[in-house]
Structure formats: structure tokens, C-alpha cells
Amino acid sequence: MSKLYTKSRFIVIAAITAIAMITSSAALAKKPSERVTIVDTAIAVNEVSGEFSILIAALVGTGLVAPLDGNGQFTVFAPVDAAFQAAGFSDAQAMTDFIEASEANRAAVSTILLYHVARGYRDSDDVVDSDQIRTMSRSFVYPDLSDPMAPAIQDNLGRSAPLVLDLINIDTDNGVIHVITEVLLPFAL
């Protein structure tokens, strides 16, 4: 597991670094077609690493791509595929099948995804300096600094999702992404 995880992490870091270098120039002067959004970044990283295929399937299935591709500024706590697999979704197709099975499933996944998104740009310093962060699901997440060497985000159930320290502060033209290793839950499933 260690070698594969290290190689996968290296690929993700390389992809994010390349994307960040491309997007760092004058975002305000860009035409809409030249912007690189949170969704664009997740898709580009996924094409290289495969780390966000289940997240992307969930965003597409719930119709949340357009809002996260818009002009607002957002902070996204993005779970990697292993986090969704630990939550019972083996792959992108399993997520799609679950969402399409019922409107209740679609609504539940939508609420869970919105629990990973906060309005406004919050870099990692802003995140860890906060007492709580209101998410777009109208619930809060809480910075967990119980281990200062491994900061995390705590959900309403008291579960912590560690931040992947070399995959935080991923700037896009409409916000910032912080990669996490667990799916945050606003309610018990």
C-alpha cells in the first residue's frame, strides 16, 4: 500500500503543481473560457491520478457541477476516492447507481457534498484558525487540532477527516481545495 499511495500522491502533487502554475496569472483578467475552476482542477487531477473519480461522479449525479463551476468563491474539502470507498462506494459507477436509485439518495448525497463546501476563500491558515466553518449544507465543520502535526476537519458526528498536508491550498480561479482522507457527514447514515 505504501509504495502505491506514495506514487499516487506524487502524481497528484505534480498535477496540482502544474495546474497551479497555469492558473496563477491574473485570474481577474481572464475570459470565462480561460478560467480554471474547482471542477476543472478536480477533473484535471483525476485524469492524471484517478483520485477524484467518485467525487466527480457524485457531483455530476447530484447536479452540483454548475454551482461549483460558477463565479462565487468556495472552499472545498475534497475527499479522495479511498474515503468514498471506506464509506461503501467501490467506484464511480457504484456512486452513480446509488444516486440514480432514488430521489432520497440523490438528496442525501447532495447534502453530504454540500457539507464539504463553504462559501468564500479560506486558505489552510484561515481554516485552522476558525472555531467552526459554516458549510453550504447549513451545518458546521470544525477544525481539529488535537494533533498539531496532523490537522483535520471534524464533522457533526465527531469524526475527523485528516487534511493531506501536501495537498492543501490548491488555488483555483473560484476558490481553494483542501484534500481530505475521509468523507465528512452532517448526519448519521
Side-chain angles (χ1 to χ4, degrees):
M1 178 183 117
S2 171
K3 285 185 180 180
L4 178 61
Y5 183 68
T6 303
K7 181 178 178 184
S8 176
R9 181 177 280 184
F10 175 77
I11 292 169
V12 171
I13 292 168
I16 290 171
T17 301
I19 291 165
M21 289 172 63
I22 292 168
T23 63
S24 64
S25 63
L28 295 176
K30 293 181 180 179
K31 296 176 187 172
S33 62
E34 296 172 337
R35 294 176 64 239
V36 179
T37 66
I38 289 167
V39 174
D40 296 330
T41 302
I43 290 170
V45 170
N46 189 62
E47 287 175 357
V48 174
S49 70
E51 285 295 323
F52 295 124
S53 61
I54 300 173
L55 175 61
I56 291 167
L59 290 169
V60 170
T62 58
L64 292 174
V65 170
L68 290 177
D69 219 17
N71 290 327
Q73 288 288 304
F74 303 100
T75 299
V76 174
F77 301 103
V80 293
D81 279 356
F84 284 103
Q85 290 163 345
F89 298 99
S90 59
D91 57 23
Q93 189 60 53
M95 176 62 78
T96 299
D97 292 345
F98 180 78
I99 291 169
E100 292 177 351
S102 73
E103 187 55 39
N105 290 358
R106 181 183 316 276
V109 172
S110 181
T111 299
I112 290 167
L113 290 176
L114 290 172
Y115 192 58
H116 291 78
V117 180
R119 289 191 191 280
Y121 181 99
R122 287 185 174 91
D123 66 18
S124 59
D125 289 336
D126 293 334
V127 168
V128 298
D129 288 343
S130 300
D131 292 328
Q132 60 186 10
I133 299 168
R134 180 181 291 278
T135 69
M136 295 202 41
S137 73
R138 299 187 182 136
S139 293
F140 292 94
V141 293
Y142 311 89
D144 176 2
L145 301 175
S146 58
D147 179 353
M149 299 305 293
I153 302 298
Q154 191 174 72
D155 64 19
N156 280 341
L157 303 178
R159 301 170 5 168
S160 289
L163 291 161
V164 180
L165 294 181
D166 47 359
L167 298 174
I168 57 173
N169 297 328
I170 302 165
D171 288 323
T172 70
D173 289 335
N174 70 335
V176 61
I177 301 169
H178 305 295
V179 178
I180 57 176
T181 60
E182 299 291 332
V183 174
L184 299 166
L185 297 174
F187 48 77
L189 295 178

